């Protein structure tokens, strides 16, 4: 059921991002940047260093935005934040224009939130 729950949450986030949106309106630490999606790819496998990683959502448009989506019982924690920041840093060396964001239905732990923001990851506001 976790797989289905995750897929459904990704679907809801994807639906919300289908039309042009401003990062400052959907992320706690968003900048004034309008993103105009042309396509949204789900669960894309990408090479990150020596490993293949699955990216939950990739919004492709005037910019590319990679999003980690979580719908778990607990909050988005330090381990998840470290993994996402590591992916961001590795990819940013090759493709510096890609933006990174996180959506967690149940919020974030304080250390995770601090780490994400400190590393330039946009933190989506949960409804």
């Amino acid at each position: 059921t976790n797989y289905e729950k995750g897929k459904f949450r990704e679907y809801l986030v994807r639906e919300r991002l289908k039309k042009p949106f401003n990062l400052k309106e959907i992320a706690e630490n968003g900048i004034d940047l309008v993103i105009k999606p042309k396509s949204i790819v789900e669960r894309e496998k990408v090479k990150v260093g020596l490993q293949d990683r699955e990216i939950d959502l990739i919004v492709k448009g005037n910019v590319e935005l990679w999003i980690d989506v979580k719908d778990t019982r607990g909050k988005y924690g330090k381990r998840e934040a470290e993994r996402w920041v590591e992916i961001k840093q590795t990819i940013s060396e090759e493709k510096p224009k890609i933006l990174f964001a996180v959506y967690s239905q149940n919020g974030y732990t304080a250390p995770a939130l601090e780490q994400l923001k400190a590393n330039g990851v946009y933190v989506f506001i949960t409804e």
Side-chain angles (χ1 to χ4, degrees), residues 67-111:
I67 307 166
D68 192 27
V69 179
K70 291 288 179 246
D71 190 351
T72 53
R73 252 185 258 143
K75 294 181 181 221
Y76 196 94
K78 195 165 189 215
R79 191 176 317 130
E80 288 104 333
E82 286 170 355
R83 179 189 67 83
W84 195 238
V85 166
E86 180 186 319
I87 290 170
K88 178 191 184 296
Q89 290 171 341
T90 303
I91 294 300
S92 293
E93 289 173 12
E94 302 165 23
K95 301 174 186 169
K97 294 192 180 213
I98 293 178
L99 303 178
F100 289 79
V102 173
Y103 176 90
S104 173
Q105 180 61 25
N106 289 318
Y108 310 86
T109 64

Side-chain angles (χ1 to χ4, degrees), residues 1-7:
T1 59
N2 282 343
Y3 176 80
E4 286 87 12
K5 196 174 166 187
K7 283 288 283 182

Side-chain angles (χ1 to χ4, degrees), residues 6 10 12 19 21 34-35 41 52-53 55 61 65 71 73 75 78 84 99-100 103 109-110 117 121 124:
E10 289 164 18
L12 293 176
K19 295 183 181 135
F21 60 92
V34 174
I35 296 177
V41 182
D52 281 338
R53 300 287 188 139
I55 308 303
L65 175 66
D71 190 351
R73 252 185 258 143
K75 294 181 181 221
K78 195 165 189 215
W84 195 238
L99 303 178
F100 289 79
Y103 176 90
T109 64
K117 289 180 177 180
V121 174
F124 284 3

Side-chain angles (χ1 to χ4, degrees), residues 10 13-14 17-18 21 35-48 53-69 84 87 91 95 97-101 124:
E10 289 164 18
V13 172
R14 189 183 81 223
L17 302 179
K18 273 184 169 175
F21 60 92
I35 296 177
K36 298 174 184 148
K38 289 190 179 106
S39 68
I40 300 176
V41 182
E42 284 183 65
R43 300 208 176 195
E44 180 85 0
K45 291 243 190 265
V46 294
K47 195 88 159 148
V48 179
R53 300 287 188 139
E54 189 176 82
I55 308 303
D56 294 333
L57 294 173
I58 299 177
V59 178
K60 297 180 178 190
N62 54 324
V63 298
E64 193 166 309
L65 175 66
W66 290 18
I67 307 166
D68 192 27
V69 179
W84 195 238
I87 290 170
I91 294 300
K95 301 174 186 169
K97 294 192 180 213
I98 293 178
L99 303 178
F100 289 79
F124 284 3

